[in-house]
Amino acid sequence: MAYRKQTLSQYNGRYARTIGKVLSGGEPASKRFLLGTDKAAAEMANKRLEMLWSEVESDFRRRRQRAKLLQPLGELVKGIEIEPLTGKLVDRPVNVLTVEPVWELHTLAIAEAVRKGEHEVLVQPAPPLPSNIIQPDKNEYIHRIMDLRERYSVIAFSPSDPTLYGRQLEAIRTTVEHEISRAETSAHRAQALTKSPMRTRAGKSIYEAIDAYAAHAEQSKAGGTNEPTDAVSLKASITNLPLSSFDYDAIQMMGDYWRSRPATKRYGGKGAPIAVNTVRNRLKTARRFVRWLNRASKWDWRCPPEWEEALKMDEQRMLTETEKLVVSSGPETWTVEELVTMYAYATDRERVFILFGLNFGFAQSEVISFRHEDIKLDLKPPQINRVRRKTRKYFEAAIWPETLEALKWLADHQTRKAKGNDAWVLLTEKGTRFDSNAIANRWNGLLKRIRVDHPNFRRLPFKHLRKTAYQLVLEAIKSHEVAGAFEARSRLSSDLHEGAYGRRLFAKVFEANELVRERLQPAFLAAPNAFKKSKSKGSPNVSPGTIAEIQRLGHEGLSVPSIAEQVGVSRQTVHRWLGRDSNSPSSGNGESGR
């Protein structure tokens, strides 16, 4: 093959390579690819083009052999030809019986991607075909992509429509599992009739390996608390094939399933597509599973070359247009006005959560793992020093006076019944450690109470307090480096002056802390009695807005029966809340309510 003896040509610092031919006016003509000015990149592109052309030749030979076998049948087997990358009809198919291997429309597009140094080609869904043509299989999109992957290994082929790909993948998987179940049923019946032992598939299965990894994650705590559950969920992305068949294609199918964002299991699997963050987490779990399987000698399995490519994701491609708009506008954060309302409606324990989120930038995991040893009251200013669990980076934050008051309130109102709980700052009323569900339930309860009086109040998860704190610090100090240090994401200088540099940086964080506190004064003023009242039994059975309305009408001199009728509560409730408002003309006047 003459092309293998050719080398890169160079002219005026630009590299090029002539390889293969194209049909021009019905006649084959040499094809020249321009490979840029970077020698290393040009050499790499040249090697990949050679590999691609070799696969084009092999594909031509396969198609020619098939055409020869079908040639005697003539028009009976003459069918349409589909362009593999677009699914469109090919206007002028290449006659593989009369033409030597050439670059066709799809292989030329692949070659162009290789020439540019790209490692992925998007495959488009097929447009509707004319009604007078036999329609392709309903799952033709996934079959077309798999066929391309089998024919050309030099580049990856990904669906441009992951949702459609995922639906077809799930349909095929369901069909395969149904057929396997039928085959197993038939085998059991045959065993019962013949009284002979049933042959089973040799070797261990991928589901057995996934279960073993889930057990390993449960025991070792590798990958976090949700890793065992996330590991078991990997079964949804792959059929229970023998472990020996768990190759690159199978790993890629697993990745394709999650990248297609299948519907959530809620509402019988007909819910919205899973979140992009869920896709990211499942692919991370899949990568940890494959690495573990490769290392565990018990399973005698080795990962295929470049397997990690099969479990990568392009977040932008998976986002819907609406989601892209949301992402482009930055993360959702609370406004100061919303924080004022939130702080006023919160119980003292809920205010502790709010202060931890805004003062320290804590998410749920930091609240749960907050230890007394992290608090440094003897330093100036009083501060916390700790390592962020997620990023493993050190950070410091000055403690606000309001937060100091909250910490004192916690010390006075918490019992520590369970042994070993003395280390943790925050405990439940029962004296046990909080978990993420308990915090989420408290948070949702606060938002629910607010929405009684403010139906349009947004419902953002607790973690958005952390995002709000970062945004407030950034706006206060106008420095991404300082905001990153507050969020424990910035790296300190690695030179000999790292200690001095860190002190200067965290001094800026303390300055930003104080500026944020000043900006949040309206919230603190909205709850003047925060952490000053003894803990009440239970919570009010009317909303704060209703309480305020009762007391307002009491100030205006309305009688208890009139207030009860106007607000829609009992007279006893009116008496209770007027009695707690010493400035109300109706308080203390027992006759006014009779």
Side-chain angles (χ1 to χ4, degrees):
M1 302 179 187
Y3 71 89
R4 297 195 185 278
K5 298 180 182 179
Q6 296 179 12
T7 57
L8 288 173
S9 61
Q10 181 185 15
Y11 181 73
N12 286 342
R14 297 181 180 277
Y15 294 91
R17 173 64 196 273
T18 300
I19 184 170
K21 296 183 178 181
V22 293
L23 288 178
S24 178
E27 296 296 326
S30 297
K31 175 60 181 174
R32 187 166 181 260
F33 294 93
L34 302 178
L35 304 180
T37 58
D38 186 300
K39 184 177 180 180
E43 289 176 343
M44 176 60 69
N46 179 46
K47 290 180 181 178
R48 295 178 68 206
L49 282 172
E50 286 185 350
M51 185 184 302
L52 176 60
W53 178 248
S54 177
E55 292 176 333
V56 168
E57 289 182 316
S58 297
D59 187 55
F60 247 77
R61 288 194 294 270
R62 178 186 61 80
R63 290 161 62 192
R64 179 178 295 160
Q65 184 65 27
R66 181 174 181 275
K68 286 180 179 179
L69 292 174
L70 297 177
Q71 194 173 17
L73 300 177
E75 294 295 325
L76 291 175
V77 296
K78 187 176 181 180
I80 62 172
E81 187 169 331
I82 300 294
E83 209 286 311
L85 293 180
T86 64
K88 298 178 180 178
L89 289 176
V90 177
D91 292 334
R92 297 179 180 177
V94 172
N95 189 341
V96 294
L97 290 172
T98 60
V99 177
E100 292 300 310
V102 292
W103 295 108
E104 298 176 78
L105 192 62
H106 66 285
T107 52
L108 196 57
I110 298 170
E112 279 297 301
V114 170
R115 179 186 72 82
K116 296 175 182 178
E118 297 173 359
H119 293 271
E120 181 184 52
V121 173
L122 293 182
V123 183
Q124 307 294 327
L129 296 178
S131 57
N132 61 335
I133 293 177
I134 298 176
Q135 299 300 305
D137 180 85
K138 61 181 179 180
N139 295 323
E140 72 82 29
Y141 188 37
I142 192 170
H143 289 311
R144 189 153 39 89
I145 293 174
M146 295 304 297
D147 183 56
L148 283 166
R149 289 171 177 172
E150 291 176 3
R151 290 159 66 183
Y152 311 110
S153 63
V154 72
I155 200 165
F157 296 93
S158 300
S160 66
D161 188 341
T163 302
L164 174 61
Y165 182 89
R167 286 202 303 267
Q168 294 189 6
L169 184 64
E170 182 65 20
I172 292 175
R173 194 172 71 88
T174 301
T175 301
V176 169
E177 289 181 345
H178 177 68
E179 293 300 322
I180 290 175
S181 177
R182 287 182 58 187
E184 289 176 346
T185 300
S186 298
H188 281 294
R189 288 175 178 172
Q191 180 187 19
L193 289 172
T194 61
K195 307 299 182 182
S196 59
M198 182 176 65
R199 294 180 60 188
T200 58
R201 289 178 292 181
K204 299 175 181 178
S205 71
I206 188 64
Y207 282 10
E208 290 178 290
I210 289 174
D211 288 336
Y213 173 69
H216 163 77
E218 180 74 37
Q219 183 177 12
S220 65
K221 307 301 181 184
T225 56
N226 293 328
E227 186 72 355
T229 304
D230 291 347
V232 173
S233 71
L234 295 179
K235 292 181 181 179
S237 63
I238 191 169
T239 55
N240 191 19
L241 44 81
L243 193 58
S244 58
S245 300
F246 189 52
D247 53 12
Y248 184 92
D249 289 339
I251 296 173
Q252 188 167 46
M253 291 284 280
M254 178 182 282
D256 286 341
Y257 174 84
W258 297 114
R259 285 187 291 265
S260 69
R261 298 181 65 184
T264 61
K265 297 301 181 182
R266 298 175 183 175
Y267 316 113
K270 296 181 180 180
I274 60 174
V276 172
N277 192 51
T278 302
V279 176
R280 185 184 300 108
N281 290 337
R282 293 298 180 274
L283 292 178
K284 284 181 179 178
T285 297
R287 289 194 291 271
R288 286 191 287 264
F289 164 65
V290 172
R291 293 189 188 103
W292 172 84
L293 190 60
N294 183 65
R295 291 193 302 265
S297 57
K298 170 186 174 181
W299 295 90
D300 192 26
W301 182 87
R302 292 294 175 266
C303 54
E306 300 183 358
W307 65 271
E308 289 178 301
E309 294 291 328
L311 295 176
K312 287 184 176 180
M313 63 178 281
D314 185 337
E315 182 171 329
Q316 286 298 315
R317 185 180 303 152
M318 288 189 294
L319 293 173
T320 64
E321 291 303 317
T322 302
E323 290 170 333
K324 287 177 181 177
L325 288 174
V326 172
V327 171
S328 64
S329 62
E332 285 189 279
T333 57
W334 298 104
T335 65
V336 173
E337 291 74 18
E338 288 172 323
L339 293 174
V340 170
T341 301
M342 192 185 300
Y343 203 74
Y345 274 67
T347 64
D348 281 342
R349 187 167 290 271
E350 291 161 351
R351 291 187 185 111
V352 170
F353 297 153
I354 295 172
L355 287 168
F356 285 0
L358 296 175
N359 190 174
F360 307 143
F362 278 2
Q364 288 181 353
S365 59
E366 283 81 30
V367 172
I368 294 168
S369 61
F370 193 17
R371 302 170 69 94
H372 287 289
E373 65 183 25
D374 300 330
I375 303 172
K376 312 296 181 184
L377 298 180
D378 55 329
L379 299 179
K380 292 185 179 180
Q383 58 193 256
I384 63 166
N385 304 162
R386 67 178 302 192
V387 174
R388 186 82 70 187
R389 291 182 66 187
K390 183 176 181 179
T391 61
R392 301 296 180 188
K393 288 186 171 60
Y394 175 80
F395 83 107
E396 300 176 2
I399 304 176
W400 296 337
E402 293 79 10
T403 311
L404 283 173
E405 200 170 355
L407 291 170
K408 183 178 183 303
W409 181 88
L410 278 177
D412 294 339
H413 288 79
Q414 289 190 149
T415 57
R416 301 181 182 276
K417 296 180 181 178
K419 186 178 180 180
N421 278 344
D422 290 342
W424 312 107
V425 172
L426 188 68
L427 298 174
T428 67
E429 286 89 341
K430 295 181 179 179
T432 59
R433 287 187 66 187
F434 266 92
D435 59 26
S436 57
N437 289 332
I439 293 179
N441 290 338
R442 289 272 190 160
W443 187 252
N444 291 333
L446 168 60
L447 298 181
K448 184 178 180 179
R449 290 201 308 276
I450 295 174
R451 287 167 67 89
V452 171
D453 297 325
H454 306 277
N456 295 325
F457 198 85
R458 291 188 297 166
R459 301 190 68 159
L460 301 179
F462 180 77
K463 65 182 179 180
H464 284 261
L465 275 181
R466 170 176 167 80
K467 299 176 186 293
T468 301
Y470 173 85
Q471 187 64 30
L472 290 172
V473 168
L474 183 61
E475 292 173 1
I477 208 72
K478 302 294 190 298
S479 168
H480 286 279
E481 183 183 29
V482 173
F486 169 76
E487 206 177 28
R489 291 194 304 183
S490 292
R491 294 181 60 185
L492 301 183
S493 173
S494 59
D495 60 23
L496 297 176
H497 304 288
E498 177 180 359
Y501 175 79
R503 286 194 294 274
R504 292 196 301 272
L505 184 60
F506 285 118
K508 289 287 187 182
V509 173
F510 296 163
E511 179 185 341
N513 274 140
E514 183 57 32
L515 292 173
V516 171
R517 176 178 176 263
E518 291 175 5
R519 188 172 176 186
L520 293 177
Q521 283 305 303
F524 304 143
L525 293 174
N529 295 320
F531 308 113
K532 292 182 173 63
K533 296 182 293 184
S534 60
K535 186 178 185 298
S536 60
K537 295 181 180 180
S539 57
N541 58 2
V542 293
S543 72
T546 301
I547 295 170
E549 182 66 7
I550 291 172
Q551 294 174 346
R552 184 186 70 80
L553 294 173
H555 282 287
E556 294 180 359
L558 268 70
S559 65
V560 169
S562 298
I563 296 175
E565 182 178 359
Q566 186 166 331
V567 178
V569 297
S570 68
R571 297 184 184 186
Q572 185 180 3
T573 299
V574 175
H575 275 296
R576 182 186 307 122
W577 292 107
L578 288 181
R580 297 185 186 184
D581 182 10
S582 59
N583 296 320
S584 172
S586 299
S587 64
N589 182 2
E591 298 303 318
S592 66
R594 304 298 178 190

